[in-house]
């Protein structure tokens, strides 16, 4: 679909596709099996500018805006869902809040390293008892002079094992409930930052997920993002953009699985004809194609609104919800169309189905997106 895409967007899409096909694809099955982090691949993505797409040039970013960002995300996810997770977290959850809420000193210190992909970041919001209910943070950040003393355990932390920097949310004044939460930039090599266990996941296995423990970590006040008590608002506004990134990932995964299924359906013969000529398969492919196109339009609308500086929280949730449901539907159907071939690693679609599942869960489950959408409706 070329609707609304400029020459620049088509060009960057081509660069991303070439990279995904030539660099990511040859090792994607092996990295999934071994749950191996794509260090060299991410380094190359840094060189291409894909690790800093929303960051202005003065901080070494590519500054392309959201539409180009989601187009590149789609292309990476079309081949390698796990690597697209790493890219999405870096762009949406780490660089964007530093750019939006960090002091000039913090921006100059960290953004160039991040945008070039030399440092990776991880977003520490979720806790064992604060997932969907993100406001019920148990981690604490108690003010002591010009520092905060940070304590707590964060779970499901994407890129946790490879991050040099963490954005951490913690409660500084429980009486104020969500208005007591603060957000901090914390370096990995500070005393008291402990990398905990690595999860053995169903999908996006090339991306690592860890528990991260903070034990009496001294965080300078200069490393708080935003004003005192603004942390929860920051967490939510970051996730608005993050949900656009995950919608792009979901569309990309769905597109990848669809292409494999459509090609297979034209090549595979049963009962004397290609299986695409059997209505049962033809209608599945038509349904898959239609849902992908619809998800992509919702995604581009959200990205377009973000680029225009409009409020995009509703569109981001609508796009994330529909795209992740689409990714799960399309990848499951792709496995079904390939039959036995779909169930083995060599043909990619079983991995895509496992990768798609997380898009219905992280950065707000499908049920949370429905909640967010319905709350918008109540205010209309
Ligand atoms: N954008 C901006 N502000 C928002 C917002 C949004 N989307 N949603 C809420 N807020 C603001 C509200 O305006 C409100 O502000 P005031 O106090 O000034 O009125 C404040 O935040 C509190 O809002 P709510 O009362 O609606 O908060 P709530 O406790 O009911 O929770 C929720 C709302 C939507 C359920 C929220 O908790 C949520 O999004 N939960 C899901 C958490 C999530 O997505 N976690 C993902 C973890 S990170 C991750 O997954 C990364 C990864 O691995 C890749």
């Amino acid at each position: 679909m070329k609707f609304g895409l400029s020459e620049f967007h088509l060009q960057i899409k081509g660069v991303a596709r070439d990279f995904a096909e030539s660099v990511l694809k040859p090792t994607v099955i092996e990295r999934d099996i071994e749950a191996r982090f794509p260090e060299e691949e991410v380094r190359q993505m840094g060189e291409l500018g894909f690790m800093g797409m929303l960051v202005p040039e003065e901080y070494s970013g590519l500054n392309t805006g959201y539409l180009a960002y989601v187009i590149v995300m789609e292309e990476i996810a079309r081949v390698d869902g796990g690597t697209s997770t790493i890219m999405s977290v870096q762009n949406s959850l780490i660089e964007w809040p530093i750019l939006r809420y960090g002091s000039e000193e913090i921006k100059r210190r960290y953004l160039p390293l991040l945008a070039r992909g030399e440092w990776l970041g991880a977003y520490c919001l979720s806790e064992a008892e604060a997932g969907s209910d993100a406001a019920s943070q148990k981690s604490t950040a108690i003010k002591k002079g010009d520092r905060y003393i940070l304590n707590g355990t964060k779970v499901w932390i994407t890129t946790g094992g490879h991050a040099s920097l963490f954005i951490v949310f913690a409660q500084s004044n429980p009486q104020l409930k969500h208005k007591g939460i603060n957000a901090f930039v914390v370096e990995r090599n500070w005393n008291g930052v402990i990398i905990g266990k690595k999860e053995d996941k169903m999908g996006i296995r090339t991306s690592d997920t860890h528990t991260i423990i903070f034990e009496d970590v001294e965080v300078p006040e200069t490393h708080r993002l935003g004003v005192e008590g603004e942390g929860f608002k920051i967490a939510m506004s970051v996730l608005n953009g993050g949900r656009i990134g995950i919608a792009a990932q979901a569309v990309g995964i769905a597109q990848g699985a669809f292409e494999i299924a459509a090609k297979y359906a034209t090549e595979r013969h049963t009962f004397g004809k290609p299986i695409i000529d059997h209505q049962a398969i033809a209608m599945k492919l038509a349904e898959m194609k239609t849902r992908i196109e619809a998800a992509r339009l919702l995604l581009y609308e959200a990205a377009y609104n973000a680029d225009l500086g409009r409020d995009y929280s509703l569109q981001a949730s609508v796009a994330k919800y529909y795209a992740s449901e689409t990714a799960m539907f399309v990848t499951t159907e792709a496995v079904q169309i390939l039959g036995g071939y779909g169930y083995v690693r060599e043909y990619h679609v079983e991995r895509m189905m496992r990768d798609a599942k997380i898009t219905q869960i992280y950065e707000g489950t499908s049920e949370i997106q429905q909640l967010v959408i319905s709350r918008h409706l109540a205010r209309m």
Side-chain angles (χ1 to χ4, degrees):
M1 188 196 72
K2 294 193 177 61
F3 171 75
L5 298 190
S6 67
E7 206 42 53
F8 166 69
H9 290 122
L10 292 172
Q11 209 177 355
I12 201 161
K13 184 180 173 70
V15 173
R17 176 157 298 199
D18 287 348
F19 172 80
E21 288 287 336
S22 63
V23 178
L24 296 176
K25 197 168 182 175
T27 54
V28 65
I29 293 175
E30 186 186 303
R31 281 185 285 106
D32 171 71
I33 293 170
E34 295 171 4
R36 178 157 50 82
F37 193 85
E39 280 181 36
E40 172 53 24
E41 292 83 349
V42 167
R43 193 192 63 71
Q44 290 183 39
M45 286 166 72
E47 281 178 358
L48 287 167
F50 295 168
M51 300 306 279
M53 295 193 69
L54 304 173
V55 174
E57 285 99 335
E58 59 176 310
Y59 306 111
S60 305
L62 215 52
N63 200 25
T64 58
Y66 271 91
L67 189 54
Y69 165 50
V70 301
I71 288 167
V72 172
M73 272 291 299
E74 272 183 83
E75 291 299 328
I76 302 298
R78 176 180 161 274
V79 169
D80 183 347
T83 298
S84 71
T85 298
I86 300 163
M87 178 181 161
S88 177
V89 167
Q90 183 86 344
N91 280 273
S92 304
L93 303 192
I94 303 300
E95 291 161 1
W96 189 84
I98 293 179
L99 187 63
R100 172 77 178 74
Y101 297 102
S103 67
E104 193 53 38
E105 189 196 330
I106 291 288
K107 287 193 250 190
R108 295 221 169 272
R109 187 148 154 196
Y110 296 118
L111 282 177
L113 290 166
L114 292 162
R116 292 195 295 261
E118 291 164 20
W119 274 27
L120 296 177
Y123 189 74
C124 299
L125 176 67
S126 300
E127 299 180 1
E129 288 171 48
S132 290
D133 184 6
S136 64
Q137 299 279 305
K138 298 283 184 297
S139 294
T140 55
I142 305 304
K143 190 94 189 281
K144 204 171 160 194
D146 62 354
R147 318 202 137 230
Y148 290 82
I149 308 301
L150 176 65
N151 278 287
T153 299
K154 298 289 180 174
V155 298
W156 317 122
I157 305 305
T158 304
T159 318
H162 288 79
S164 300
L165 173 154
F166 300 93
I167 291 187
V168 188
F169 296 86
Q171 180 58 264
S172 296
N173 189 343
Q175 282 172 344
L176 296 178
K177 302 196 165 136
H178 72 273
K179 290 189 170 149
I181 293 172
N182 279 311
F184 303 98
V185 175
V186 175
E187 289 188 29
R188 180 202 179 120
N189 59 11
W190 289 355
N191 285 341
V193 177
I194 300 159
I195 312 302
K197 80 159 174 159
K198 181 181 176 189
E199 303 295 344
D200 187 9
K201 303 193 300 288
M202 171 200 268
I204 56 162
R205 289 171 56 78
T206 199
S207 137
D208 66 325
T209 305
H210 282 257
T211 295
I212 309 289
I213 302 133
F214 300 94
E215 268 182 18
D216 290 329
V217 179
E218 289 192 24
V219 185
E221 193 176 9
T222 51
H223 281 60
R224 188 190 66 222
L225 294 175
V227 299
E228 176 77 37
E230 204 184 3
F232 189 71
K233 279 241 174 187
I234 293 174
M236 292 297 108
S237 62
V238 169
L239 286 169
N240 291 336
R243 287 164 185 166
I244 295 181
I246 301 308
Q249 173 181 45
V251 171
I253 294 172
Q255 179 68 32
F258 171 75
E259 287 176 25
I260 292 169
K263 182 167 182 287
Y264 179 86
T266 56
E267 290 168 1
R268 171 78 168 168
H269 286 64
T270 59
F271 308 103
K273 54 184 177 182
I275 61 171
I276 198 168
D277 290 339
H278 295 297
Q279 242 182 26
I281 302 300
M283 290 171 84
K284 274 190 198 301
L285 286 164
E287 186 65 31
M288 291 154 79
K289 174 76 177 161
T290 306
R291 292 197 199 188
I292 292 170
E293 293 292 321
R296 184 173 288 120
L297 284 173
L298 291 173
L299 166 67
Y300 288 3
E301 196 205 2
Y304 181 67
N305 276 306
D307 281 337
L308 290 184
R310 293 180 184 153
D311 182 351
Y312 55 88
S313 61
L314 173 61
Q315 278 91 355
S317 280
V318 169
K320 200 262 184 190
Y321 171 50
Y322 190 74
S324 55
E325 295 298 313
T326 296
M328 202 62 234
F329 171 78
V330 168
T331 54
T332 306
E333 290 291 62
V335 170
Q336 190 68 18
I337 290 170
L338 267 75
Y341 296 100
Y343 203 66
V344 297
R345 293 194 198 274
E346 191 182 340
Y347 293 86
H348 296 278
V349 288
E350 65 80 32
R351 184 189 72 256
M352 292 170 169
M353 182 176 142
R354 289 186 282 108
D355 287 352
K357 187 62 202 169
I358 193 61
T359 68
Q360 294 177 307
I361 298 173
Y362 63 12
E363 301 205 24
T365 60
S366 285
E367 292 74 13
I368 287 293
Q369 305 313 325
Q370 288 174 310
L371 179 79
V372 171
I373 294 162
S374 65
R375 284 186 181 177
H376 274 277
L377 299 180
R379 289 201 297 271
M380 276 175 174

